[in-house]
Amino acid sequence: MAVIADRCPQVQVTVVDLNQARIDAWNADDLSRLPVYEPGLDAVVARARGRNLTFSTEVEASIAAADMVFISVNTPTKTKGLGAGQASDLRWVEACARTVAEAATGHTIVVEKSTLPVRTAAAIQTILSAAQDAGSERSFSVLSNPEFLAEGTAIADLEAPDRVLIGGDDPEAINALAGIYGNWVATERILRTNLWSSELSKLTANAFLAQRISSINSIAAFCEASGADVREVARAIGTDSRIGSKFLSAGPGFGGSCFQKDILNLVYLCRHFGLPEVADYWESVVRLNTWQQHRIARLVVEKLFGTVTGKRLAVLGFAFKANTNDTREAPAIRVCADLLEEGAHLQIHDPKVDAAQMARDLKRDASEVADSNGSWCRSESIEASVAGADAVLIMTEWGQYRTLDWDALASRMRRPAWVFDARAVTDSQQVRAAGLNLWKVGDGEG
Ligand code: UDX
C-alpha cells in the first residue's frame, strides 16, 4: 500500500488495523523502527506518509470513505478443527468481509490481497450480498489480486513486478484496479483472469517455486553421497532456457510465511476435491523440505562424534532468509530445536532477529549457562557466538557471513572444530586453511 501511495499521489491510501500499538509504530517519527524490516520501505513511507498515505485504527470510517478496500490479513494454517495442519484459517478474512459489509457506503470494490484458498471469493461475495438489502444503494464487486513480492526485495518487486494479476468478473472493477497499477506498471504486465484462476495461480506459483527448492535439495543430498557438486549441477541445468537459473540454490530448506502454508492448503484442497494423487505429489515437496532440516541437524551430531550434549555450537543466522527479520518457518528453528533436544548449547547470532523472537520460536528462555538438557543464548557478535564452540552452523545467507575471517574465528573455537555451511556462502579453501573441518550443503568433495 505504501508503494501504491508512492506511485499514485492522486490516490488516498489509508492502512487500517485494530492494533493501536502497531498503527502507532507505523506513525512513529523514527523510521528505523517500522514494524516490518524491509530494505527501502522507510524511504517509501517517508515520501508518502502525511501526503496520501495514512495509518489509522478508524476501521469503519475508513471503509465508509473508500471506493476500494484491500483485504490484507493473514491466513495461517489452521491449528485445530476441520483441516487442522493443512487448511487455511479464514477467520480474519471473514471478519474483514463482515466489517466491510456493515461499514461500506455506495459502490465498493473489495480486493482479496491475502493469499486464499480457491473459491474464497465466493464466500466473500455471499457475505457482502447478504448486506445488500432491497433498495440499498450499496453494492460490491469482488476482485482477486494476489501479491507475488518476496521479503527482502519487496520494494523492488513491487516497483518492477514480473506481472500483476487481477481476477474478477466485473470489467469496470478490473479496469479501476488496473488503472491504479497502470500508473507505473506496463499494460502488458497486468494480467486479467477469472476469479478462480487468479486465486489458484498464487498457490500454484508458490508450489512451483517451493518444488524447485525441494528438487535441488534432494539432488544436493545425492551430490554429497556421490562426489558431485550441486552448484555445478545447478549451473549446468540452469543454462537450459527451459529450466532457467533462478531458485536453484540448495540450502537448509525453504522457510517463510508462504511456501509451506500454501502447499499444505493446496494439498488440502486437492484431497477435498477428490484428487488424492495430486495431493500426495505436492505434499512430498513439504516432506522433502522437513527431511532436509532434520538431515542437517543429524549430520551435525554425527560429525561431532555422535553427541553434542553440553557442547557449544555457534548458529549464524536465524531469519528464514537474508535481509529480513522474519523468522516464520525459518529452517534455523527446526535445526536448533533438534540440537537443543540433543543437549547442545547454542550461541545464536542474527543481525536482525532479537532474543525475544528467538525465545518464542524455540519455546524456551535464553540462558548463558550450558545445560545438558539443551540451552541457548543470543550473541551480539559473530566473535561471541563462536567463542568456545565446537562448530559453526551457517543457517542464513547474510552478506556478512560471506566474508568471515576464518583464521581469527578458528582461534576462538575448541578443536577439532567444524563449519557446517547450510547456505554455501563460505570459501572452502579459507575455511580449511584455518584448520577447520567443513561440510557444505551439496558439496560431495568434502
Ligand atoms: C515467496 C515467493 O517468492 C513470493 O513470490 C511470494 O509472494 C511469497 O513467498 P518469500 O517467502 O518472501 O517469497 O521468499 P523467497 O525468496 O521466495 O524464499 C523462500 C525460502 O526459500 C527462503 O527460506 C529461501 O532461503 C529459500 N530459497 C529460495 C532457497 O533455499 N533456495 C533458493 O534458490 C531460493
Side-chain angles (χ1 to χ4, degrees):
M1 290 305 122
V3 169
I4 289 181
D6 193 28
R7 295 299 171 129
C8 314
Q10 73 285 12
V11 177
Q12 283 298 325
V13 177
T14 309
V15 177
V16 293
D17 199 293
L18 297 171
N19 184 330
Q20 183 74 53
R22 183 159 303 178
I23 290 298
D24 289 347
W26 283 109
N27 280 323
D29 291 335
D30 182 359
L31 286 163
S32 70
R33 302 182 73 88
L34 294 179
V36 174
Y37 170 70
E38 190 60 50
L41 176 60
D42 47 356
V44 174
V45 171
R47 280 197 295 272
R49 199 175 63 183
R51 184 187 68 190
N52 62 329
L53 174 64
T54 312
F55 296 94
S56 157
T57 50
E58 305 219 336
V59 178
E60 279 83 6
S62 305
I63 292 172
D67 299 308
M68 208 177 266
V69 176
F70 290 77
I71 297 184
S72 318
V73 289
N74 59 340
T75 51
T77 304
K78 278 182 84 171
T79 53
K80 53 185 182 180
L82 199 64
Q86 291 195 326
S88 290
D89 191 340
L90 297 180
R91 73 177 100 165
W92 294 285
V93 172
E94 182 178 336
C96 284
R98 289 184 188 279
T99 310
V100 173
E102 272 169 34
T105 57
H107 183 68
T108 309
I109 299 171
V110 179
V111 184
E112 298 177 340
K113 189 49 115 171
S114 303
T115 301
L116 294 168
V118 184
R119 302 204 75 85
T120 306
I124 295 179
Q125 246 155 2
T126 309
I127 291 170
L128 295 173
S129 344
Q132 264 177 278
D133 20 55
S136 152
E137 284 171 14
R138 288 142 29 89
S139 56
F140 300 96
S141 291
V142 179
L143 298 178
S144 160
N145 173 221
E147 187 47 64
F148 295 101
L149 68 80
E151 291 182 29
T153 52
I155 303 300
D157 294 346
L158 287 164
E159 290 182 340
D162 285 345
R163 78 318 207 169
V164 166
L165 183 56
I166 304 177
D169 47 24
D170 173 357
E172 264 183 54
I174 296 177
N175 285 340
L177 184 54
I180 291 179
Y181 286 108
N183 281 293
W184 78 98
V185 181
T187 317
E188 62 273 15
R189 287 187 188 263
I190 303 178
L191 311 184
R192 298 163 186 236
T193 66
N194 76 25
L195 272 167
W196 324 125
S197 302
S198 172
E199 289 177 337
L200 184 55
S201 298
K202 169 69 187 188
L203 294 185
T204 308
N206 277 345
F208 268 59
L209 290 168
Q211 181 199 42
R212 272 174 85 89
I213 300 171
S214 279
S215 297
I216 200 70
N217 283 342
S218 74
I219 297 299
F222 190 28
C223 286
E224 290 165 34
S226 63
D229 181 339
V230 75
R231 277 152 297 280
E232 292 180 349
V233 175
R235 195 175 46 170
I237 63 166
T239 47
D240 185 325
S241 60
R242 293 167 302 174
I243 296 176
S245 61
K246 291 182 183 165
F247 252 69
L248 286 179
S249 301
F254 54 78
S257 65
C258 290
F259 284 172
Q260 176 168 316
K261 168 180 83 84
D262 289 351
I263 295 179
L264 292 177
N265 186 5
L266 186 64
V267 167
Y268 179 75
L269 291 169
C270 290
R271 294 231 161 88
H272 174 80
F273 286 105
L275 300 166
E277 288 79 6
V278 182
D280 290 349
Y281 174 72
W282 287 108
E283 196 166 27
S284 72
V285 171
V286 175
R287 263 204 311 276
L288 195 289
N289 195 55
T290 309
W291 172 79
Q292 173 79 339
Q293 292 165 10
H294 290 309
R295 179 173 89 85
I296 291 173
R298 207 165 46 234
L299 202 133
V300 171
V301 176
E302 281 166 12
K303 299 281 191 204
L304 297 180
F305 310 113
T307 175
V308 292
T309 308
K311 289 181 180 167
R312 291 176 182 274
L313 306 179
V315 177
L316 300 187
F318 201 78
F320 82 95
K321 63 188 241 185
N323 298 319
T324 176
N325 60 350
D326 196 341
T327 62
R328 286 177 289 178
E329 305 295 340
I333 299 174
R334 199 169 273 141
V335 173
C336 287
D338 282 3
L339 295 170
L340 287 171
E341 184 74 26
E342 294 281 344
H345 179 68
L346 308 178
Q347 306 180 142
I348 309 173
H349 175 266
D350 190 288
K352 288 288 172 196
V353 182
D354 61 25
Q357 185 59 46
M358 292 176 187
R360 278 194 293 277
D361 290 332
L362 296 174
K363 300 191 175 62
R364 57 171 98 186
D365 290 334
S367 152
E368 292 297 329
V369 188
D371 179 330
S372 60
N373 290 323
S375 50
W376 69 276
C377 65
R378 182 181 186 278
S379 302
E380 282 299 326
S381 66
I382 297 169
E383 289 72 22
S385 79
V386 305
D390 285 18
V392 175
L393 269 82
I394 303 179
M395 294 303 301
T396 311
E397 73 286 19
W398 286 105
Q400 55 196 285
Y401 301 156
R402 294 180 190 273
T403 53
L404 296 173
D405 177 348
W406 286 106
D407 278 329
L409 294 180
S411 67
R412 296 170 166 262
M413 299 177 70
R414 187 170 83 153
R415 304 299 180 97
W418 276 87
V419 174
F420 297 96
D421 182 359
R423 292 286 186 171
V425 292
T426 55
D427 178 325
S428 305
Q429 272 185 344
Q430 278 178 19
V431 174
R432 294 209 171 94
L436 299 166
N437 299 301
L438 175 66
W439 170 85
K440 191 187 268 190
V441 66
D443 185 352
E445 289 182 333

